[in-house]
Amino acid sequence: AQSVTQLGSHVSVSEGALVLLRCNYSSSVPPYLFWYVQYPNQGLQLLLKYTSAATLVKGINGFEAEFKKSETSFHLTKPSAHMSDAAEYFCAVTSDTGRRALTFGSGTRLQVQP
Amino acid sequence: EPEVTQTPSHQVTQMGQEVILRCVPISNHLYFYWYRQILGQKVEFLVSFYNNEISEKSEIFDDQFSVERPDGSNFTLKIRSTKLEDSAMYFCASSRNREPFYEQYFGPGTRLTVT
C-alpha cells in the first residue's frame, strides 16, 4: 500500500521568503511522485513530477522538489514566495504496480503575508 | 490549452435522489478518473475507466456508483441514491496514456451537496 504524509496543514510565509512544504511517502516499490496546486474554486494543477529520472525536479512558477529515497521525502521548495503562490498544495504518489490511482496527502494551505 | 470541463459546478440534491455528474475529458486522452474530496479531508480516488470499462475502483465505489462514457466526449458519474455522506467535491481527471507517470489533468470539480 502507498501513502503520503504532508507535515503542516497550514504554512505561512512572508512575501520574498523561502517556501518549504513537506511531503513524505511510503511505498514498497519505486514511486512516482507529484505535487499539485489548487487555487480557490479551481481544479488541481500539476506543479511538477518525479518519474525516476533526475532527483531534483523543476516545475512551473519557480517551484522545485528533491526526491530523497533515504528519507522517503519529496519536499517542495521555492526560493522566494509571491502573493500569487497562496493556494493549497497536494503531494501525491503512484507507482508501476498496475494501479493508476493517485494517493494524495491531506494538503498544505500556503499563506503569503505581505 | 485543452482542459477538462465539468458540469454543473454545484449540485444540490435531496437524500435518496439520483445525480449525474458530467465531465468532458481532454479529447485525445484515453484514461478517465473520478476522485472526490469531502470537506476538510484528502482527495480520494473513486474509479478509473479505460477502453469503455472500469479498470480500477476503490472501496468507496460501491453499487450506488456507476460510470459511463455515453458518447465520444462525455464521461459521467452517477450516484443512484444519494446519502448525506456523499456531499463532497467531485473531480474528474483524464490522462493521455496508461503509464502511471503521465500527468492526470483535473477538472474544476462539481460540488455536490446532499440535504
Side-chain angles (χ1 to χ4, degrees):
Chain A
Q2 299 169 322
S3 66
V4 169
T5 302
Q6 290 184 243
L7 290 175
S9 58
H10 289 84
V11 170
S12 183
V13 301
S14 299
E15 191 172 20
L18 171 72
V19 176
L20 171 60
L21 304 182
R22 298 179 186 274
C23 171
N24 288 88
Y25 70 91
S26 172
S27 178
S28 57
V29 296
Y32 298 117
L33 293 157
F34 304 79
W35 274 100
Y36 281 85
V37 61
Q38 185 180 28
Y39 298 104
N41 301 314
Q42 293 187 28
L44 301 166
Q45 180 185 7
L46 183 70
L47 276 177
L48 48 79
K49 63 181 179 182
Y50 167 75
T51 58
S52 75
T55 56
L56 182 62
V57 181
K58 294 188 185 299
I60 63 171
N61 302 339
F63 284 93
E64 63 182 38
E66 186 172 8
F67 173 72
K68 291 187 177 180
K69 183 178 178 181
S70 60
E71 298 177 10
T72 60
S73 69
F74 190 57
H75 302 329
L76 182 70
T77 60
K78 182 174 180 177
S80 176
H82 193 272
M83 297 295 290
S84 61
D85 295 326
E88 185 137 24
Y89 292 79
F90 294 93
C91 184
V93 65
T94 187
S95 67
D96 253 338
T97 56
R99 299 186 75 232
R100 301 291 176 266
L102 291 170
T103 300
F104 283 87
S106 52
T108 297
R109 185 166 297 280
L110 176 66
Q111 284 185 310
V112 183
Q113 309 288 348
Chain B
E1 185 177 325
E3 56 184 21
V4 177
T5 60
Q6 292 185 241
T7 53
S9 57
H10 191 189
Q11 173 104 36
V12 181
T13 189
Q14 288 191 324
M15 200 166 49
Q17 295 298 303
E18 175 183 287
V19 294
I20 297 176
L21 310 183
R22 290 184 169 80
C23 168
V24 179
I26 294 172
S27 63
N28 63 347
H29 284 191
L30 302 176
Y31 258 85
F32 314 114
Y33 312 81
W34 284 100
Y35 291 82
R36 78 173 184 189
Q37 185 181 26
I38 295 171
L39 189 64
Q41 298 187 23
K42 294 183 181 186
V43 176
E44 302 171 291
F45 168 75
L46 292 177
V47 65
S48 64
F49 192 84
Y50 171 73
N51 200 25
N52 278 319
E53 59 183 25
I54 291 174
S55 57
E56 185 184 353
K57 61 182 181 179
S58 72
E59 60 275 8
I60 302 168
F61 193 87
D62 60 21
D63 292 343
Q64 296 281 24
F65 293 91
S66 62
V67 289
E68 193 179 29
R69 188 153 163 86
D71 52 44
S73 59
N74 290 282
F75 179 52
T76 62
L77 174 69
K78 183 193 289 186
I79 309 175
R80 252 178 281 281
S81 177
T82 50
K83 305 173 193 150
L84 293 176
E85 55 265 35
D86 294 328
S87 294
M89 181 73 91
Y90 287 80
F91 293 106
C92 175
S94 68
S95 63
R96 183 162 55 93
N97 201 304
R98 58 186 295 121
E99 299 303 325
F101 49 78
Y102 273 92
E103 176 183 355
Q104 293 182 25
Y105 290 78
F106 284 77
T110 293
R111 181 166 297 285
L112 177 65
T113 302
V114 182
T115 61

